Amino acid sequence: MALPDDFLPDDDVPAPLRPALAKAWQRLSDSLAQADNVAEMTGQERPSESWEALDEQRRRQLARVLVISDFVLDTLVRHPEWLLHLDVSGELEAASDEEALRDTLGERLEAAEDEAALHAAIRRFRRARMLGIVWRDLTRPSGVDMWNTSAAVSRLAEVCLDGALGWLETHLEPRWGRPAPRDDGSEQRLVVLGMGKLGAGELNLSSDIDLIFAYAEAGETQGGRKPLEHQEYFTKLGQRLITALDAVTADGFAFRVDMRLRPLGDGGPLVGNFASLAAYYQDQGREWERYALLKARPVAGDLEAGGELLANLRPFVYRKYLDFGAIESLREMKGLINREVKRKGMQANIKLGPGGIREVEFVVQAFQLIRGGRDTELQVTSLKSALERLPDVGLLPQEVVDELLPDYVFLRDLEHALQALEDRQTQSLPGDDQDRERVALALDMEDWPGVIARLDEVRERVRQHFDAVIAAPEGENGGGENGESDEAEDDSAGSLEAWRSLWQGEFNQEESLALLTHTDFSAPDTALRRLVSLRESRQVQAMQRIGYQRLDALMPMLLSAVAESENPDTALERVLPLVESVLRRTAYLALLRENPEALSHLMQLCGASSWIAEQLARFPLLLDELLTPETLYTPADKVRLADELRQALGRIPEDDDETQLEALRVFKHAHVLRVAASDIAGTRHLMKVSDYLTYIAEVLLEAVLSMAWRHLVRKHGYPMRRDGTLTGAEPEFLIIGYGKLGGIELGYGSDLDLVFVHDADANASTDGARPVDAPVFFTRLGQRIIHLLTAVTPAGTLYEVDMRLRPSGNSGLLVTSLTAFSDYQRNQAWTWEHQALVRARVVAGNPQLAEGFHAVRQEILGRSRDVEALRQEVVAMRHKMRDHLGSKRESDAFDLKQDAGGMVDIEFICQFAVLSMGHETPELLQWSDNMRILETLESTGRLPADDCRQLREAYLAYRSAVHRTSLTREASRVRDKDFQAHRKVVIEAWQRLLEPST
């Protein structure tokens, strides 16, 4: 029985498309009539009867889908019964899950007796599933969007790949056997890596699938009639797998397969073992191959081994440093694409044209390549996931992502609409009016002009964001904005072209000196000699082509920035060693070239501080910090520091000590640089500078203590408390800071004065498989902490450590119990050791144990003492220090720390006050830093307010000067006349309090 002419409601179909719908319905009706005839002849139910049962909504959807998609029409004409099967199974509303897909395909493959049957089964399975996918994409039931569609196509491809591979392995086993097991005894199978959008799980409706084949180890197959070397076996298996999906048969094809992303492309072997692939990428891997491997994901065969392979290749893809060289490569790739687009007249191509799909992908993948080695959360194959994570790591503002994400979705929806027409891989806009109407309907837009207007808006936004990330640096193309020539640049700095000519040796000496003199170099001869020496140095001459090109591109920009600095001679002298240090790591040259603002910050900081210049030359990875001025000049507080360090260590396996050590050092150097930058910029008060430097040390000590505790516990188990219970995961141990660390006065080069204390049962052993006595455990814990702090890695050391202030000094135990510590302080400690205890405080460790230490400190410092005897001992110690460390009497220099009237005098005044007055004024016992001790002496009336205020001012002036001398690498001896007023205040206070008779 023929279905009625009005079976398909057409009131939702635009008028221009209704004739096309009528033709489509005529074809489908004819097909249904034929199917009914066959059913009647074979005594089966007529398909048209089931079609009659379709409800109104389904008929409207059918009309919409038929008029848009020739693929759906052709499929239903050939298989009209499929619509009912999909309706009953629910596939018109939601995609089947992976398990259901595997089961369905598996049933069909079980019946396949040869490869021809395999091909037919896979193609019919794929076509039926694609019918459901296209239907859902065009009707958009609840929960279906572009991402859902892409995931469904990707899942279908993976199931087809794995199903075909499994069938082929079984089918070929009698002939060739199975691969020999790996050295560890595990089974060996083909590894199929999905690349591109398949690896991302974001295939479009008619995507090729990009694949790489691999296998773990060489060997020979076993159990077959004819054993083969693994290379030959996996090659033959791979060839048949490609044919199973790619070959065009009477049923069409399943997926077009592209193998050109493998090493050496079409000219290379089809399959490689893990060792050969690792060697290839290490020795010959090109930048575009890093880009390709961003998306690599095991999709069929041995998934676990595939993960192992990719883990081994990860250092090739994601560099430890910020790799701005990746932008050059992406820019070159985009340039090739642009030239191809222009040559073929493909400007309207929504994938490759300006503002198209590829530009969004380049933006995201640029950040992944540049930052993925450091920000490991970007090591994901999905573009959507990576894009959504960029704001969290501070790489793109949220508002940019909020534009890019929906714009990308629109472009991909448009791509799907184009491909749904005929199941053809295309990204070109249609020229036919009817096809344009069909695309507008697929996108639920009014008409084709509306589609174009929206597309133009989207492409303009995408292009702007692309240019912001990928475009060449300003001035790189030899002209300013709007095509203005370099002559418009500020002559005071010289044009980039002039600096390029000087650097490349095109100017003669007279011309070079004239340019340097004109741009305010006070010693142009010296500057020119330095530049020529660098250009002609063996390191530069031996550079590879790409590195030399990066240096040539950077140097004019760098020289222009040097010329614009306050002191060009000093800036050049300090920045050239940095350039020399990165000649073999040219990604840093690219970083500076790609980020002119970073170059400006570099000049500012190096011009102000030789210490910063030296740090950057020793540890070029610190150049990364110049990219984010908002953090560069704003040091983190302790809470944020702890959180950043926790996140950094959380990305590293707990047992990877080497990488953890490196991460700790990178963290320290980066954050100390931020403090120094804020110090130079004047955005932080002196007290805050020391606070921040102290916070950094405290956070690192907490981390080091936790790492050392975990290490010892893994080896020996947990020690026992005094009450007989076992300690736990949190270290029951104290790190006590003395000196500048205890006094919250750390400087840029300060070492750490430390004392270690525990309170475990000294007679008990740990509970592990290799138990040790508690004293041995804690001694090894202390040794481990010192090792973690002082071990030399490529990023240097964390801190130098001084343990001489522990009980009995170098002759005493490295770690002492709290009981032994308190006994020593009560009965054996010298006065100078009690002075040191004034500046002692817990900087890391167990809070309950810290309360015990605090009580001991309060008791010792709060003792009643013979003030005169105390005064004599303090004065004697101070005179001894001046004799050994101070300036000679006839010198006009003033040692800020050691001379009379200097910092140490103020420290001794505070310590004497605490020791002599603490029993009467317990408020003094609360603090370990000199500033708050002086404030307390004032607030309690123990010293005159004017004296305390003037002493604080002097102490701040001295500390500020010491910080400055550290940053400029000058000696701590300054001109005496610059500090005479402060010295006079300190000396008079000293005499009144400690030497009243002199």
mmCIF file of all heavy atoms in Angstrom, residues 314 318 364 367-368 371-395 643-644 647-648 650-651:
data_model
loop_
_atom_site.group_PDB
_atom_site.id
_atom_site.type_symbol
_atom_site.label_atom_id
_atom_site.label_comp_id
_atom_site.label_asym_id
_atom_site.label_seq_id
_atom_site.Cartn_x
_atom_site.Cartn_y
_atom_site.Cartn_z
ATOM 1 N N ARG A 314 56.498 11.818 24.938
ATOM 2 C CA ARG A 314 56.015 13.089 25.506
ATOM 3 C C ARG A 314 57.093 14.165 25.585
ATOM 4 O O ARG A 314 56.827 15.333 25.279
ATOM 5 C CB ARG A 314 55.395 12.832 26.881
ATOM 6 C CG ARG A 314 54.604 14.030 27.422
ATOM 7 C CD ARG A 314 53.763 13.638 28.625
ATOM 8 N NE ARG A 314 52.693 12.734 28.239
ATOM 9 C CZ ARG A 314 52.487 11.543 28.799
ATOM 10 N NH1 ARG A 314 53.284 11.114 29.758
ATOM 11 N NH2 ARG A 314 51.490 10.790 28.410
ATOM 12 N N TYR A 318 56.230 17.824 24.285
ATOM 13 C CA TYR A 318 56.099 18.885 25.296
ATOM 14 C C TYR A 318 57.467 19.161 25.904
ATOM 15 O O TYR A 318 58.014 18.335 26.632
ATOM 16 C CB TYR A 318 55.116 18.460 26.387
ATOM 17 C CG TYR A 318 53.710 18.234 25.894
ATOM 18 C CD1 TYR A 318 53.196 16.942 25.736
ATOM 19 C CD2 TYR A 318 52.890 19.304 25.582
ATOM 20 C CE1 TYR A 318 51.902 16.742 25.293
ATOM 21 C CE2 TYR A 318 51.596 19.114 25.124
ATOM 22 C CZ TYR A 318 51.108 17.823 24.986
ATOM 23 O OH TYR A 318 49.821 17.621 24.538
ATOM 24 N N VAL A 364 44.936 27.231 19.958
ATOM 25 C CA VAL A 364 44.962 26.317 21.109
ATOM 26 C C VAL A 364 46.245 25.503 21.100
ATOM 27 O O VAL A 364 46.928 25.365 22.130
ATOM 28 C CB VAL A 364 43.733 25.384 21.085
ATOM 29 C CG1 VAL A 364 43.796 24.382 22.223
ATOM 30 C CG2 VAL A 364 42.448 26.210 21.171
ATOM 31 N N PHE A 367 49.491 27.240 22.302
ATOM 32 C CA PHE A 367 49.667 27.269 23.755
ATOM 33 C C PHE A 367 50.044 25.895 24.293
ATOM 34 O O PHE A 367 50.826 25.785 25.248
ATOM 35 C CB PHE A 367 48.393 27.770 24.435
ATOM 36 C CG PHE A 367 48.176 29.252 24.297
ATOM 37 C CD1 PHE A 367 47.047 29.750 23.669
ATOM 38 C CD2 PHE A 367 49.110 30.147 24.790
ATOM 39 C CE1 PHE A 367 46.850 31.110 23.539
ATOM 40 C CE2 PHE A 367 48.926 31.516 24.662
ATOM 41 C CZ PHE A 367 47.793 32.000 24.034
ATOM 42 N N GLN A 368 49.484 24.843 23.699
ATOM 43 C CA GLN A 368 49.843 23.494 24.154
ATOM 44 C C GLN A 368 51.319 23.213 23.899
ATOM 45 O O GLN A 368 52.013 22.676 24.767
ATOM 46 C CB GLN A 368 48.981 22.452 23.444
ATOM 47 C CG GLN A 368 47.532 22.422 23.926
ATOM 48 C CD GLN A 368 46.738 21.341 23.233
ATOM 49 O OE1 GLN A 368 46.413 21.467 22.055
ATOM 50 N NE2 GLN A 368 46.437 20.272 23.953
ATOM 51 N N ARG A 371 53.437 25.827 26.234
ATOM 52 C CA ARG A 371 53.321 25.733 27.692
ATOM 53 C C ARG A 371 53.014 24.334 28.218
ATOM 54 O O ARG A 371 53.038 24.122 29.416
ATOM 55 C CB ARG A 371 52.206 26.677 28.169
ATOM 56 C CG ARG A 371 52.372 28.140 27.786
ATOM 57 C CD ARG A 371 53.561 28.782 28.475
ATOM 58 N NE ARG A 371 53.381 28.897 29.899
ATOM 59 C CZ ARG A 371 53.149 30.045 30.548
ATOM 60 N NH1 ARG A 371 53.074 31.163 29.867
ATOM 61 N NH2 ARG A 371 53.013 30.068 31.853
ATOM 62 N N GLY A 372 52.708 23.382 27.309
ATOM 63 C CA GLY A 372 52.262 22.077 27.770
ATOM 64 C C GLY A 372 53.274 21.337 28.620
ATOM 65 O O GLY A 372 52.902 20.543 29.487
ATOM 66 N N GLY A 373 54.575 21.572 28.378
ATOM 67 C CA GLY A 373 55.581 20.897 29.190
ATOM 68 C C GLY A 373 55.567 21.351 30.632
ATOM 69 O O GLY A 373 55.922 20.585 31.534
ATOM 70 N N ARG A 374 55.171 22.599 30.861
ATOM 71 C CA ARG A 374 55.132 23.150 32.216
ATOM 72 C C ARG A 374 53.737 23.055 32.816
ATOM 73 O O ARG A 374 53.580 22.682 33.976
ATOM 74 C CB ARG A 374 55.591 24.613 32.167
ATOM 75 C CG ARG A 374 57.006 24.808 31.699
ATOM 76 C CD ARG A 374 58.019 24.639 32.818
ATOM 77 N NE ARG A 374 57.886 25.714 33.783
ATOM 78 C CZ ARG A 374 58.442 26.915 33.641
ATOM 79 N NH1 ARG A 374 59.178 27.168 32.580
ATOM 80 N NH2 ARG A 374 58.293 27.844 34.549
ATOM 81 N N ASP A 375 52.724 23.403 32.017
ATOM 82 C CA ASP A 375 51.338 23.324 32.486
ATOM 83 C C ASP A 375 50.743 22.023 31.968
ATOM 84 O O ASP A 375 50.112 21.973 30.914
ATOM 85 C CB ASP A 375 50.531 24.532 31.978
ATOM 86 C CG ASP A 375 51.068 25.843 32.528
ATOM 87 O OD1 ASP A 375 51.390 25.891 33.721
ATOM 88 O OD2 ASP A 375 51.171 26.810 31.762
ATOM 89 N N THR A 376 50.972 20.952 32.720
ATOM 90 C CA THR A 376 50.648 19.626 32.200
ATOM 91 C C THR A 376 49.155 19.413 32.016
ATOM 92 O O THR A 376 48.753 18.476 31.328
ATOM 93 C CB THR A 376 51.205 18.534 33.126
ATOM 94 O OG1 THR A 376 50.739 18.771 34.477
ATOM 95 C CG2 THR A 376 52.725 18.560 33.133
ATOM 96 N N GLU A 377 48.322 20.279 32.599
ATOM 97 C CA GLU A 377 46.885 20.129 32.369
ATOM 98 C C GLU A 377 46.521 20.410 30.915
ATOM 99 O O GLU A 377 45.417 20.076 30.475
ATOM 100 C CB GLU A 377 46.080 21.033 33.306
ATOM 101 C CG GLU A 377 46.520 22.486 33.351
ATOM 102 C CD GLU A 377 47.506 22.766 34.465
ATOM 103 O OE1 GLU A 377 48.665 22.312 34.325
ATOM 104 O OE2 GLU A 377 47.129 23.420 35.457
ATOM 105 N N LEU A 378 47.454 21.001 30.162
ATOM 106 C CA LEU A 378 47.199 21.241 28.740
ATOM 107 C C LEU A 378 47.556 20.029 27.877
ATOM 108 O O LEU A 378 47.345 20.053 26.664
ATOM 109 C CB LEU A 378 48.003 22.454 28.257
ATOM 110 C CG LEU A 378 47.662 23.797 28.907
ATOM 111 C CD1 LEU A 378 48.532 24.898 28.323
ATOM 112 C CD2 LEU A 378 46.195 24.133 28.738
ATOM 113 N N GLN A 379 48.080 18.992 28.490
ATOM 114 C CA GLN A 379 48.449 17.795 27.727
ATOM 115 C C GLN A 379 47.217 16.924 27.514
ATOM 116 O O GLN A 379 47.096 15.821 28.038
ATOM 117 C CB GLN A 379 49.557 17.030 28.448
ATOM 118 C CG GLN A 379 50.866 17.790 28.511
ATOM 119 C CD GLN A 379 51.984 17.011 29.180
ATOM 120 O OE1 GLN A 379 51.883 15.809 29.380
ATOM 121 N NE2 GLN A 379 53.059 17.697 29.543
ATOM 122 N N VAL A 380 46.289 17.446 26.734
ATOM 123 C CA VAL A 380 45.065 16.733 26.399
ATOM 124 C C VAL A 380 44.905 16.773 24.889
ATOM 125 O O VAL A 380 45.370 17.700 24.223
ATOM 126 C CB VAL A 380 43.823 17.358 27.080
ATOM 127 C CG1 VAL A 380 43.877 17.135 28.583
ATOM 128 C CG2 VAL A 380 43.709 18.844 26.774
ATOM 129 N N THR A 381 44.243 15.746 24.346
ATOM 130 C CA THR A 381 44.073 15.702 22.888
ATOM 131 C C THR A 381 42.863 16.505 22.431
ATOM 132 O O THR A 381 42.823 16.960 21.296
ATOM 133 C CB THR A 381 43.917 14.252 22.414
ATOM 134 O OG1 THR A 381 42.780 13.664 23.056
ATOM 135 C CG2 THR A 381 45.159 13.437 22.756
ATOM 136 N N SER A 382 41.888 16.698 23.301
ATOM 137 C CA SER A 382 40.659 17.384 22.921
ATOM 138 C C SER A 382 40.865 18.891 22.842
ATOM 139 O O SER A 382 41.341 19.517 23.797
ATOM 140 C CB SER A 382 39.553 17.088 23.946
ATOM 141 O OG SER A 382 38.492 18.009 23.847
ATOM 142 N N LEU A 383 40.503 19.485 21.701
ATOM 143 C CA LEU A 383 40.584 20.938 21.581
ATOM 144 C C LEU A 383 39.674 21.616 22.590
ATOM 145 O O LEU A 383 40.056 22.609 23.218
ATOM 146 C CB LEU A 383 40.210 21.367 20.160
ATOM 147 C CG LEU A 383 40.220 22.889 19.924
ATOM 148 C CD1 LEU A 383 40.869 23.226 18.596
ATOM 149 C CD2 LEU A 383 38.823 23.481 19.963
ATOM 150 N N LYS A 384 38.488 21.093 22.770
ATOM 151 C CA LYS A 384 37.533 21.701 23.703
ATOM 152 C C LYS A 384 38.104 21.725 25.116
ATOM 153 O O LYS A 384 38.074 22.754 25.800
ATOM 154 C CB LYS A 384 36.217 20.928 23.688
ATOM 155 C CG LYS A 384 35.137 21.473 24.627
ATOM 156 C CD LYS A 384 33.838 20.691 24.437
ATOM 157 C CE LYS A 384 32.704 21.299 25.260
ATOM 158 N NZ LYS A 384 32.837 21.011 26.695
ATOM 159 N N SER A 385 38.653 20.600 25.563
ATOM 160 C CA SER A 385 39.214 20.549 26.915
ATOM 161 C C SER A 385 40.383 21.509 27.062
ATOM 162 O O SER A 385 40.495 22.225 28.067
ATOM 163 C CB SER A 385 39.678 19.116 27.240
ATOM 164 O OG SER A 385 38.591 18.227 27.232
ATOM 165 N N ALA A 386 41.270 21.524 26.061
ATOM 166 C CA ALA A 386 42.433 22.409 26.142
ATOM 167 C C ALA A 386 42.012 23.867 26.152
ATOM 168 O O ALA A 386 42.524 24.673 26.946
ATOM 169 C CB ALA A 386 43.377 22.139 24.968
ATOM 170 N N LEU A 387 41.066 24.235 25.293
ATOM 171 C CA LEU A 387 40.617 25.628 25.215
ATOM 172 C C LEU A 387 39.985 26.059 26.534
ATOM 173 O O LEU A 387 40.231 27.172 27.022
ATOM 174 C CB LEU A 387 39.620 25.782 24.060
ATOM 175 C CG LEU A 387 39.101 27.191 23.757
ATOM 176 C CD1 LEU A 387 40.242 28.163 23.520
ATOM 177 C CD2 LEU A 387 38.170 27.167 22.545
ATOM 178 N N GLU A 388 39.195 25.198 27.130
ATOM 179 C CA GLU A 388 38.527 25.545 28.384
ATOM 180 C C GLU A 388 39.521 25.682 29.533
ATOM 181 O O GLU A 388 39.222 26.352 30.527
ATOM 182 C CB GLU A 388 37.479 24.485 28.726
ATOM 183 C CG GLU A 388 36.266 24.530 27.804
ATOM 184 C CD GLU A 388 35.277 23.398 28.055
ATOM 185 O OE1 GLU A 388 35.688 22.350 28.611
ATOM 186 O OE2 GLU A 388 34.101 23.554 27.692
ATOM 187 N N ARG A 389 40.698 25.080 29.420
ATOM 188 C CA ARG A 389 41.681 25.154 30.504
ATOM 189 C C ARG A 389 42.621 26.344 30.383
ATOM 190 O O ARG A 389 43.354 26.650 31.330
ATOM 191 C CB ARG A 389 42.508 23.858 30.533
ATOM 192 C CG ARG A 389 41.676 22.639 30.883
ATOM 193 C CD ARG A 389 42.470 21.348 30.844
ATOM 194 N NE ARG A 389 41.604 20.197 31.061
ATOM 195 C CZ ARG A 389 42.023 18.950 31.205
ATOM 196 N NH1 ARG A 389 43.316 18.700 31.161
ATOM 197 N NH2 ARG A 389 41.168 17.961 31.404
ATOM 198 N N LEU A 390 42.629 27.011 29.244
ATOM 199 C CA LEU A 390 43.571 28.112 29.046
ATOM 200 C C LEU A 390 43.383 29.255 30.046
ATOM 201 O O LEU A 390 44.378 29.808 30.534
ATOM 202 C CB LEU A 390 43.484 28.628 27.611
ATOM 203 C CG LEU A 390 44.012 27.661 26.537
ATOM 204 C CD1 LEU A 390 43.791 28.225 25.138
ATOM 205 C CD2 LEU A 390 45.495 27.365 26.755
ATOM 206 N N PRO A 391 42.140 29.653 30.384
ATOM 207 C CA PRO A 391 42.022 30.725 31.382
ATOM 208 C C PRO A 391 42.555 30.317 32.756
ATOM 209 O O PRO A 391 43.132 31.148 33.475
ATOM 210 C CB PRO A 391 40.495 30.987 31.437
ATOM 211 C CG PRO A 391 39.969 30.493 30.139
ATOM 212 C CD PRO A 391 40.826 29.303 29.794
ATOM 213 N N ASP A 392 42.403 29.054 33.128
ATOM 214 C CA ASP A 392 42.836 28.609 34.454
ATOM 215 C C ASP A 392 44.344 28.707 34.624
ATOM 216 O O ASP A 392 44.837 28.873 35.747
ATOM 217 C CB ASP A 392 42.392 27.157 34.698
ATOM 218 C CG ASP A 392 40.879 27.028 34.799
ATOM 219 O OD1 ASP A 392 40.223 28.042 35.115
ATOM 220 O OD2 ASP A 392 40.360 25.924 34.570
ATOM 221 N N VAL A 393 45.088 28.577 33.527
ATOM 222 C CA VAL A 393 46.543 28.694 33.623
ATOM 223 C C VAL A 393 47.024 30.064 33.149
ATOM 224 O O VAL A 393 48.213 30.277 32.920
ATOM 225 C CB VAL A 393 47.251 27.572 32.815
ATOM 226 C CG1 VAL A 393 47.037 26.228 33.486
ATOM 227 C CG2 VAL A 393 46.777 27.515 31.375
ATOM 228 N N GLY A 394 46.077 30.994 32.995
ATOM 229 C CA GLY A 394 46.426 32.384 32.723
ATOM 230 C C GLY A 394 46.935 32.659 31.324
ATOM 231 O O GLY A 394 47.651 33.636 31.101
ATOM 232 N N LEU A 395 46.555 31.831 30.354
ATOM 233 C CA LEU A 395 47.076 32.006 28.999
ATOM 234 C C LEU A 395 46.125 32.748 28.075
ATOM 235 O O LEU A 395 46.558 33.376 27.114
ATOM 236 C CB LEU A 395 47.427 30.639 28.396
ATOM 237 C CG LEU A 395 48.529 29.887 29.145
ATOM 238 C CD1 LEU A 395 48.808 28.551 28.485
ATOM 239 C CD2 LEU A 395 49.810 30.725 29.191
ATOM 240 N N ASP A 643 49.912 26.986 47.431
ATOM 241 C CA ASP A 643 49.001 26.386 46.451
ATOM 242 C C ASP A 643 49.714 26.161 45.118
ATOM 243 O O ASP A 643 49.560 25.103 44.493
ATOM 244 C CB ASP A 643 47.794 27.298 46.265
ATOM 245 C CG ASP A 643 46.739 26.668 45.355
ATOM 246 O OD1 ASP A 643 46.296 25.552 45.663
ATOM 247 O OD2 ASP A 643 46.366 27.295 44.352
ATOM 248 N N GLU A 644 50.509 27.136 44.674
ATOM 249 C CA GLU A 644 51.237 26.985 43.410
ATOM 250 C C GLU A 644 52.228 25.828 43.482
ATOM 251 O O GLU A 644 52.350 25.040 42.537
ATOM 252 C CB GLU A 644 51.980 28.281 43.067
ATOM 253 C CG GLU A 644 51.085 29.370 42.491
ATOM 254 C CD GLU A 644 51.897 30.546 41.977
ATOM 255 O OE1 GLU A 644 53.036 30.330 41.468
ATOM 256 O OE2 GLU A 644 51.426 31.685 42.086
ATOM 257 N N GLN A 647 50.422 22.500 43.389
ATOM 258 C CA GLN A 647 49.994 22.163 42.029
ATOM 259 C C GLN A 647 51.180 21.715 41.172
ATOM 260 O O GLN A 647 51.071 20.753 40.394
ATOM 261 C CB GLN A 647 49.307 23.354 41.379
ATOM 262 C CG GLN A 647 47.958 23.704 41.986
ATOM 263 C CD GLN A 647 47.285 24.845 41.240
ATOM 264 O OE1 GLN A 647 47.304 24.907 40.029
ATOM 265 N NE2 GLN A 647 46.692 25.761 41.982
ATOM 266 N N ALA A 648 52.314 22.416 41.310
ATOM 267 C CA ALA A 648 53.495 22.059 40.512
ATOM 268 C C ALA A 648 53.979 20.657 40.851
ATOM 269 O O ALA A 648 54.283 19.851 39.951
ATOM 270 C CB ALA A 648 54.612 23.077 40.751
ATOM 271 N N GLY A 650 52.186 18.345 42.263
ATOM 272 C CA GLY A 650 51.113 17.394 41.996
ATOM 273 C C GLY A 650 51.139 16.854 40.583
ATOM 274 O O GLY A 650 50.551 15.804 40.299
ATOM 275 N N ARG A 651 51.820 17.563 39.674
ATOM 276 C CA ARG A 651 51.909 17.104 38.283
ATOM 277 C C ARG A 651 53.023 16.078 38.093
ATOM 278 O O ARG A 651 53.191 15.530 37.019
ATOM 279 C CB ARG A 651 52.181 18.300 37.359
ATOM 280 C CG ARG A 651 51.114 19.383 37.398
ATOM 281 C CD ARG A 651 51.493 20.528 36.478
ATOM 282 N NE ARG A 651 50.522 21.587 36.524
ATOM 283 C CZ ARG A 651 50.802 22.868 36.811
ATOM 284 N NH1 ARG A 651 52.044 23.223 37.065
ATOM 285 N NH2 ARG A 651 49.854 23.782 36.833
#
